[in-house]
Amino acid sequence: MARDPAFVLRYLAEVEELAEDVLAARQQIVDLDVKRNRNREALRALHRSPEPDGKAMVCFGSMFIELPTAQTRDMLRKDQEHLDEEINNLRKELRVKVNRLYEAQGKPELKGFNLNPMSAEEMKLINRILEG
């Protein structure tokens, strides 16, 4: 059975576009995770600071600004929360994109890919049950 070359080209272009979306989303997650790790390191350094009520030098673009440590810590925590939220949203979108790619390739949907981590409360309940 001969296929129309235009159909094959459209199909390949669609699959390639979907694959590029998946790769771009993965790279964005990696980039945000690197930023989140840098923030975590900065928070830890502020926590270890010998002067908790002192000032800290913060880099904004190509500029360094001296800010109170408490304000810097709050900014970093808010940024961490924002990054966590953004990474979680990207991971949810990535699941959808991967499923679309698999569908376009004619592959079955990934099993177990839509799992969500358990909350701290759920873990406590399971530990209580396991302990007896």
Side-chain angles (χ1 to χ4, degrees):
M1 178 171 137
R3 294 261 182 191
D4 178 24
F7 172 79
V8 173
L9 282 175
R10 279 194 310 273
Y11 168 75
L12 291 174
E14 179 185 343
V15 169
E16 184 175 349
E17 185 179 333
L18 290 169
E20 285 177 5
D21 284 348
V22 168
L23 290 175
R26 284 184 177 164
Q27 186 59 48
Q28 194 173 5
I29 289 171
V30 168
D31 293 344
L32 290 174
D33 197 42
V34 166
K35 185 176 178 181
R36 183 172 59 173
N37 287 334
R38 286 185 187 146
N39 279 2
R40 190 177 298 133
E41 290 173 12
L43 279 168
R44 189 72 183 141
L46 286 175
H47 181 69
R48 291 183 186 170
S49 175
E51 297 180 34
D53 297 329
K55 294 197 175 223
M57 294 295 287
V58 181
C59 180
F60 288 106
S62 61
M63 225 173 21
F64 281 92
I65 299 174
E66 193 172 37
L67 295 173
T69 302
Q71 182 180 356
T72 303
R73 197 175 298 128
D74 288 342
M75 282 181 4
L76 286 170
R77 283 188 187 132
K78 286 178 185 172
D79 197 30
Q80 283 292 85
E81 290 171 7
H82 174 72
L83 286 170
D84 287 339
E85 189 177 305
E86 200 168 337
I87 287 171
N88 287 335
N89 289 339
L90 282 170
R91 285 183 177 151
K92 287 176 187 172
E93 290 174 16
L94 181 62
R95 292 173 184 161
V96 172
K97 290 178 181 182
V98 168
N99 282 334
R100 273 195 228 131
L101 176 61
Y102 271 53
E103 184 180 308
Q105 292 175 331
K107 295 180 181 178
E109 186 177 318
L110 288 175
K111 302 291 182 210
F113 193 62
N114 291 322
L115 299 175
N116 291 318
M118 294 173 61
S119 69
E121 285 183 31
E122 291 169 328
M123 284 300 297
K124 285 179 187 176
L125 290 172
I126 287 184
N127 285 334
R128 279 189 208 153
I129 292 170
L130 292 175
E131 289 172 358

